[in-house]
């Protein structure tokens, strides 16, 4: 007998000897016609090797392929084959197995019989060749674990989903295309597949999956960082790459097999797991079975005080000779959004999970409102134990800028356009490589924004420096108690009109006081138009403070900072509203004048004049309509103190007067209460109205036009000039005084 020391060499010689060229894909030793081969140089335990072959057969079933009738275990040195019938092992083949096929096989036992063939003799070789040439296959049952694979096999012949699964004559119930591999599905309904019906569409693997499908061009850039991280692993150390929120495996697309075999993938949704297992079950080190994933709260690898509940992952994480690389794009959901985008999980599920209860011991406030933060915190907490470990992470940068969730060494990173992830919002998502080395000294990092040019490539633009911010604008809120007030006033909607309940919850009392001239919300670090509001009375959602007549000019910079605009996607969600300057702007009277000037003219100021339901008239004091408003009087005080209007401010006042002149000619202005003092917002809402032109568009809808075209033109002229004023005159000072960082 020929002795082999290399399994590959022995396998090659054996296949040449029996005259076959088997399919070596999917990490098997070979599949040819009706046979699955498992070749070993030396088989010491037949059942251990059989267990490995059964796992490969299980993968064949999950992929919906034809199941070979024979499992041939081949001892190359002994020239002996042990041949089992798949039909006798079907119960075990129809299970889903966890981890690499070569692991945890030692204890497997079965009563199934097998035949032994010594093919070192010509008689034995002829007997083996009879089996080798067999084209027999074994049918298996349809279930939720192989329905995705079967659908993909069926769609090679027909793209009709209904023919595959719908009705009593559906393919799964009355097989035709798949009659060589499946038994008819006999359950009365398709409830078993209810959660994964969307996965059974033709073109599944080409279809974009989920709200946070990561674009291939960005994945390719991320892979460059991953490969660098792998190259830095010390010699002699193993590594694993963990993706706990793998979804359908988008981040792993394009990785070479030698890296994929180190990957541990998991997800909490069965529909995603079904696809993930179909695509990567035989390529990755581990795809955590859904039966395990759903047993955990919200993050598939954490359950209780054990930390990492999965034994396999825990062993690797705690192994001093194994480097852990987390590589993730966590799901995103903030409190109040109603759920987890792309998962169907309701907010109260993850808000009550074990992980967040543990996180609350270390953090409080807004950091607990975002599901992605649970992944980030638990990743550093439970998985990264060694300085050689890393986290390559897609997420908005606020977790580092404002929430101190990653006080680790920044190694590399870039910015992605969130819109390219098929989200509605245009903003920046960071993809950052953190090394597991503590670093609380770094206060700024530089990232390169990448614009996607096509499906696979991206183009770098100018670098962006991102800074940490430590104090938000709420530190400057006026917290003095009101002296003379009553609780019989009114409250406002976000648009400045009086609040109408309609069953909505109110978070603020209807305070009235002569001291109050407006209500301002500008608190958190995030720069978002939804997070800044300036109205005449308290806003029903609260979270702001009252502007008062005695010091409102000192507080208006908070509003002006909160209205910070961004003209490029890579400037959104990288800057923070900040009070890190600790009010240093208060000494700059010219800056305070600019903020007053901008506030009085911008339509972002939603203050209105109106008669409230409490029979009180509420006048807009933050406008330049007449000389009796507090805003105009305060401007005059600045001028008396020696400040001057700049040329652009003189121009803006002229444009404002042009708007007022055109507004005064409207029928609506003439009919309004003379006590009304108009700001630009109220003019746009109540005077610059649209009417039916009498014409129809192509769809038959009425074409609406501005009733007063001259007024609309003057408004646009003022608004455009005001934006330039903000960019040129105010933004540099916001950065100087650290109101924006």
């Amino acid at each position: 007998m020929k002795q082999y020391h290399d399994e590959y060499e022995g396998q090659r010689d054996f296949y040449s000897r029996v005259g076959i060229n088997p399919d070596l894909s999917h990490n098997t030793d070979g599949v040819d016609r009706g046979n699955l081969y498992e070749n070993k140089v030396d088989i010491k335990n037949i059942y251990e090797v059989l267990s490995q072959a059964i796992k490969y057969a299980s993968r064949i079933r999950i992929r919906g392929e034809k199941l070979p009738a024979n499992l041939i275990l081949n001892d190359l040195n002994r020239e002996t084959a042990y041949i089992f019938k798949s039909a006798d092992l079907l119960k075990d083949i129809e299970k889903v197995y966890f981890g690499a096929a070569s692991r945890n096989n030692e204890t497997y036992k079965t009563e199934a019989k097998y035949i032994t063939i010594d093919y070192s003799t010509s008689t034995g070789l002829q007997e083996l060749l009879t089996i080798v040439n067999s084209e027999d296959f074994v049918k298996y049952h349809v279930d939720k674990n192989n329905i995705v694979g079967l659908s993909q096999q069926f769609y090679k012949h027909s793209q009709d989903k209904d023919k595959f699964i719908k009705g009593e004559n559906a393919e799964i119930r009355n097989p035709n295309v798949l009659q060589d591999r499946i038994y008819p599905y006999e359950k009365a309904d398709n409830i078993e597949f209810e959660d994964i019906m969307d996965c059974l569409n033709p073109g599944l693997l080409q279809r974009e999956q989920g709200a946070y499908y990561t674009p291939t061009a960005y994945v390719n850039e991320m892979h460059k960082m991953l490969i660098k991280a792998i190259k830095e692993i010390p010699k002699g150390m193993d590594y694993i790459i963990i993706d706990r929120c793998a979804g359908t495996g988008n981040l792993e697309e394009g990785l070479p097999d030698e890296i994929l075999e180190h990957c541990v993938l998991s997800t909490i949704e069965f529909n995603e797991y079904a696809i993930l297992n179909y695509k990567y079950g035989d390529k990755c080190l581990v795809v955590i079975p859904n039966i395990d994933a759903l047993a955990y709260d919200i993050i598939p690898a954490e359950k209780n005080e054990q930390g990492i509940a999965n034994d396999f992952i825990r062993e690797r994480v705690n192994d001093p000779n194994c480097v852990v690389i987390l590589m993730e794009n966590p799901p995103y959901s903030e409190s109040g959004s109603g759920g987890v985008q792309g998962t169907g999980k309701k907010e109260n599920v993850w808000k009550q999970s074990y992980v967040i209860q543990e996180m609350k011991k270390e953090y409080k406030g807004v950091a607990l409102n975002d599901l992605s933060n649970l992944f980030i915190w638990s990743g550093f907490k439970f998985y990264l134990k060694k300085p050689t470990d890393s986290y390559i992470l897609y997420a908005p940068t606020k977790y580092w800028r404002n929430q101190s969730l990653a006080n680790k060494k920044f190694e590399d990173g870039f910015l992605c356009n969130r819109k390219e992830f098929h989200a509605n919002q245009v903003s920046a998502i960071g993809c950052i490589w953190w090394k597991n080395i503590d670093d609380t000294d770094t206060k700024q990092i530089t990232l390169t924004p990448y614009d996607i040019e096509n499906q696979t490539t991206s183009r770098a633009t100018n670098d962006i420096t991102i800074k940490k911010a430590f104090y938000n604008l709420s530190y400057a809120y006026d917290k003095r108690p009101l002296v003379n007030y009553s609780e019989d006033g009114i409250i406002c909607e976000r648009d400045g009109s009086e609040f109408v309940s309609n069953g909505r919850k109110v978070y603020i009392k209807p305070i009235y006081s002569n001291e109050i001239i407006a209500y301002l919300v500008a608190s958190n670090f995030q720069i978002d138009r939804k997070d800044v509001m300036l109205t005449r009375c308290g806003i029903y959602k609260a979270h702001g403070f009252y502007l008062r007549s005695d010091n409102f000019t000192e507080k208006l910079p908070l509003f002006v900072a909160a209205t910070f605009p961004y003209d490029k996607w890579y400037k959104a969600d990288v800057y923070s509203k900040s009070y890190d300057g600790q009010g240093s702007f208060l000494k700059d009277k010219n800056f305070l004048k600019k903020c007053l000037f901008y506030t009085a003219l911008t339509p972002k100021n939603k203050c209105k004049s109106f008669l409230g339901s409490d029979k009180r008239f509420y006048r807009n004091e933050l406008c330049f309509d007449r000389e009796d408003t507090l805003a105009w009087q305060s401007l005059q005080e600045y001028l008396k103190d020696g400040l001057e209007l700049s040329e652009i401010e003189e121009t803006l006042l002229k444009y404002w007067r042009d708007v007022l002149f055109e507004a005064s000619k409207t029928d609506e202005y003439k009919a309004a209460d003379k006590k009304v003092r108009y700001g630009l917002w109220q003019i746009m809402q109540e005077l610059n109205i649209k009417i039916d032109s009498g014409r129809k568009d192509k769809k038959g809808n009425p074409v609406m036009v501005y009733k007063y075209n001259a007024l609309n033109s003057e408004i646009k002229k003022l608004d455009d000039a005001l934006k330039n004023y903000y960019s040129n005159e105010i933004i540099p000072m916001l950065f100087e005084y650290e109101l924006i960082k």
Side-chain angles (χ1 to χ4, degrees):
M1 294 184 184
K2 185 174 182 179
Q3 294 294 304
Y4 297 102
H5 300 286
D6 182 86
E7 191 172 289
Y8 173 75
E9 179 187 5
Q11 176 174 283
R12 183 187 59 191
D13 288 351
F14 170 76
Y15 288 146
S16 176
R17 186 175 176 185
V18 296
I20 63 173
N21 183 24
D23 179 5
L24 299 176
S25 63
H26 305 302
N27 293 328
T28 68
D29 284 346
V31 175
D32 182 70
R33 290 169 284 184
N35 304 296
L36 183 152
Y37 296 88
E38 186 58 34
N39 302 309
K40 302 292 183 187
V41 169
D42 179 21
I43 295 180
K44 296 183 175 67
N45 182 335
I46 293 173
Y47 297 106
E48 183 176 348
V49 179
L50 175 62
S51 177
Q52 186 171 349
I54 287 172
K55 291 177 181 178
Y56 290 132
S58 172
R59 292 295 314 158
I60 287 173
R61 189 189 81 96
I62 289 171
R63 292 195 302 271
E65 297 171 355
K66 291 190 290 186
L67 178 61
N70 303 311
L71 304 184
I72 300 178
L73 315 182
N74 187 11
D75 188 319
L76 297 168
N77 281 340
R78 293 186 178 90
E79 294 184 274
T80 300
Y82 307 95
I83 302 169
F84 288 82
K85 294 295 183 182
S86 296
D88 298 336
L89 299 161
L90 192 59
K91 184 177 178 180
D92 289 337
I93 290 172
E94 289 186 336
K95 294 178 181 178
V96 176
Y97 293 94
F98 170 80
S102 59
R103 290 176 53 89
N104 302 319
N105 297 312
E106 299 84 359
T107 60
Y108 179 74
K109 296 292 184 290
T110 180
E111 298 297 322
K113 304 300 181 181
Y114 62 91
I115 63 172
T116 303
I117 297 178
D118 178 358
Y119 59 86
S120 65
T121 67
S122 59
T123 302
L125 182 60
Q126 287 302 315
E127 184 182 359
L128 178 61
L129 287 174
T130 301
I131 297 174
V132 166
N133 292 321
S134 165
E135 298 201 24
D136 294 336
F137 299 92
V138 171
K139 293 183 180 182
Y140 48 82
H141 297 93
V142 178
D143 61 27
K144 64 181 181 180
N145 292 302
N146 68 351
I147 190 70
V148 170
L150 289 169
S151 71
Q152 299 307 298
Q153 298 298 325
F154 176 77
Y155 295 145
K156 293 176 182 178
H157 301 268
S158 170
Q159 293 286 299
D160 192 330
K161 176 181 176 181
D162 287 348
K163 287 183 179 179
F164 173 69
I165 200 167
K166 189 175 180 180
E168 62 181 20
N169 290 319
E171 179 71 17
I172 62 171
R173 298 181 185 280
N174 187 17
N176 179 26
V177 173
L178 305 177
Q179 64 178 322
D180 56 0
R181 67 199 73 185
I182 64 172
Y183 292 113
Y185 186 70
E186 296 180 348
K187 292 185 180 180
D189 52 45
N190 291 335
I191 291 177
E192 180 180 6
F193 312 123
E194 184 175 18
D195 292 339
I196 55 174
M197 279 296 184
D198 287 344
C199 297
L200 305 181
N201 294 324
L204 165 73
L205 301 184
Q206 289 74 43
R207 185 166 56 88
E208 295 166 354
Q209 295 291 332
Y212 279 79
Y213 175 93
T214 311
T216 302
Y218 290 149
V219 172
N220 291 342
E221 292 297 330
M222 179 207 67
H223 284 174
K224 294 176 184 177
M225 292 193 293
L226 174 64
I227 291 170
K228 288 180 183 177
I230 292 171
K231 287 181 177 178
E232 291 188 5
I233 294 173
K235 285 187 177 180
M237 294 187 74
D238 193 8
Y239 71 95
I240 59 171
I241 301 165
I242 301 177
D243 185 352
R244 297 167 294 163
C245 39
T248 58
N250 182 222
L251 296 191
E252 289 69 39
E253 289 281 359
L255 285 176
D257 289 347
E258 60 267 25
I259 293 179
L260 280 174
E261 64 188 18
H262 290 270
C263 288
V264 176
L265 309 182
S266 181
T267 184
I268 62 171
E269 287 296 303
F270 187 85
N271 61 340
E272 293 179 339
Y273 166 76
I275 301 171
L276 193 65
N277 199 28
Y278 175 82
K279 292 168 63 177
Y280 294 108
D282 54 0
K283 295 181 180 179
C284 291
L285 181 64
V286 174
V287 176
I288 295 180
N290 182 259
I291 190 171
D292 289 341
L294 289 183
Y296 306 142
D297 279 337
I298 190 68
I299 299 177
E302 287 120 50
K303 182 179 181 182
N304 50 38
E305 62 277 357
Q306 297 176 14
I308 299 175
N310 184 277
D311 293 338
F312 175 80
I313 299 177
R314 188 170 62 251
E315 289 173 5
R316 303 310 299 271
V317 166
N318 293 329
D319 184 349
N321 291 313
C322 182
V323 172
V324 175
I325 302 174
L326 284 175
M327 181 179 73
E328 296 178 332
N329 180 7
Y332 173 80
S333 176
E334 284 190 324
S335 291
S337 66
V340 181
Q341 194 160 16
T343 69
K345 294 288 181 180
K346 292 300 181 183
E347 174 187 329
N348 60 358
V349 174
W350 67 268
K351 291 293 284 186
Q352 296 172 15
S353 68
Y354 165 77
V355 178
I356 200 169
Q357 300 309 318
E358 290 297 296
M359 187 177 172
K360 285 179 179 178
K361 297 176 182 178
E362 299 181 18
Y363 289 86
K364 60 182 180 179
V366 295
L368 301 170
N369 293 340
D370 193 335
L371 173 59
S372 63
N373 285 349
L374 272 69
F375 280 86
I376 296 168
W377 173 79
S378 65
F380 286 114
K381 180 78 172 180
F382 295 123
Y383 292 83
L384 306 184
K385 305 289 186 181
K386 303 171 285 295
T388 50
D389 294 344
S390 294
Y391 200 164
I392 299 176
L393 170 66
Y394 286 95
T397 59
K398 61 185 177 181
Y399 72 90
W400 179 81
R401 287 183 291 127
N402 311 135
Q403 297 166 351
S404 295
L405 285 170
N407 289 317
K408 300 293 181 178
K409 182 182 178 183
F410 169 78
E411 186 64 20
D412 200 358
F414 59 93
L415 287 174
C416 316
N417 187 345
R418 183 173 180 175
K419 189 176 182 180
E420 301 289 353
F421 290 68
H422 309 289
N424 292 327
Q425 185 176 348
V426 177
S427 63
I429 297 286
C431 181
I432 300 179
W433 171 15
W434 301 105
K435 286 190 172 180
N436 191 39
I437 299 171
D438 292 339
D439 179 6
T440 56
D441 296 328
T442 299
K443 300 299 188 294
Q444 65 181 46
I445 59 176
T446 299
L447 300 178
T448 302
Y450 279 94
D451 279 310
I452 289 183
E453 291 187 317
N454 55 51
Q455 187 177 2
T456 60
T457 61
S458 55
R459 175 175 53 84
T461 59
N462 295 330
D463 288 352
I464 295 288
T465 297
I466 301 174
K467 297 182 178 181
K468 282 190 173 184
F470 300 94
Y471 298 93
N472 67 39
L473 297 183
S474 63
Y475 278 86
Y477 277 13
D478 193 336
K479 302 178 179 66
R480 297 174 298 168
L482 291 164
V483 178
N484 296 311
Y485 70 94
S486 62
E487 296 183 6
D488 60 348
I490 65 167
I491 51 181
C492 280
E493 301 276 6
R494 294 168 56 96
D495 67 356
S497 59
E498 184 173 351
F499 175 76
V500 178
S501 175
N502 293 328
R504 290 176 293 170
K505 188 174 180 180
V506 176
Y507 297 86
I508 193 172
K509 293 178 179 179
I511 299 295
Y512 176 80
S513 170
N514 286 328
E515 300 176 56
I516 296 172
I517 66 167
Y519 187 82
L520 173 59
V521 177
S523 56
N524 62 31
F525 289 108
Q526 204 74 358
I527 299 173
D528 191 320
R529 61 177 59 91
K530 298 189 300 294
D531 296 328
V532 55
M533 287 161 272
L534 181 61
T535 57
R536 181 60 181 81
C537 303
I539 297 172
Y540 78 99
K541 284 195 170 184
H543 300 299
F545 72 103
Y546 293 105
L547 288 183
R548 310 191 198 184
S549 54
D550 63 342
N551 70 343
F552 72 95
T553 57
E554 297 178 357
K555 304 301 179 182
L556 290 181
L558 309 185
F559 166 73
V560 174
T563 62
F564 184 85
Y566 37 81
D567 56 351
K568 302 290 185 182
W569 65 264
Y570 49 79
K571 295 182 181 179
D573 215 7
V574 297
Y575 297 121
S576 303
K577 303 195 296 277
S578 157
Y579 204 67
D580 288 2
Q582 296 295 299
S584 55
F585 63 84
L586 292 171
K587 297 178 182 179
D588 188 341
K589 300 299 182 183
N590 190 46
F591 176 65
L592 294 176
K593 180 206 72 175
K594 290 178 184 291
C595 290
L596 170 66
F597 201 87
Y598 176 78
T599 302
L601 294 179
T602 179
K604 295 179 181 180
N605 167 9
K606 301 295 194 296
C607 288
K608 292 182 177 181
S609 301
F610 58 90
L611 180 65
S613 60
D614 60 353
K615 308 304 180 185
R616 296 186 178 99
F617 186 81
Y618 292 87
R619 190 172 77 175
N620 179 6
E621 299 291 349
L622 295 179
C623 67
F624 290 160
D625 186 357
R626 310 280 177 88
E627 295 182 356
D628 56 359
T629 66
L630 287 177
W632 182 261
Q633 292 174 358
S634 296
L635 178 62
Q636 301 312 305
E637 291 298 322
Y638 282 126
L639 298 179
K640 289 179 183 178
D641 285 346
L643 297 178
E644 297 180 352
L645 294 179
S646 64
E647 182 177 348
I648 188 173
E649 288 168 342
E650 292 280 10
T651 300
L652 286 169
L653 275 180
K654 178 185 180 303
Y655 289 171
W656 168 246
R657 294 188 185 105
D658 292 341
V659 170
L660 283 179
F661 176 72
E662 292 299 332
S664 68
K665 295 191 293 184
T666 67
D667 297 335
E668 291 74 16
Y669 182 92
K670 294 173 183 176
D673 192 321
K674 301 305 179 186
K675 293 186 291 185
V676 171
R677 298 294 178 265
Y678 284 101
L680 189 58
W681 172 250
Q682 192 167 6
I683 290 174
M684 293 168 67
Q685 292 285 298
E686 298 177 7
L687 307 183
N688 191 35
I689 59 177
K690 287 186 175 183
I691 59 173
D692 189 342
S693 67
R695 293 179 285 111
K696 304 287 185 182
D697 62 18
K698 293 181 180 179
K699 295 182 179 180
N701 299 317
V703 175
M704 306 299 290
V705 296
Y706 284 103
K707 183 178 180 181
Y708 307 106
N709 191 53
L711 173 60
N712 184 63
S713 299
E714 295 299 339
I715 289 173
K716 189 176 187 309
K717 182 175 69 175
L718 172 61
D719 195 36
D720 289 345
L722 195 62
K723 290 174 182 175
N724 290 331
Y725 176 70
Y726 188 98
S727 296
N728 298 325
E729 300 285 327
I730 294 178
I731 285 180
M733 304 179 85
L734 294 176
F735 281 101
E736 179 182 348
Y737 293 124
E738 295 188 275
L739 287 163
I740 298 293
K741 289 188 73 179

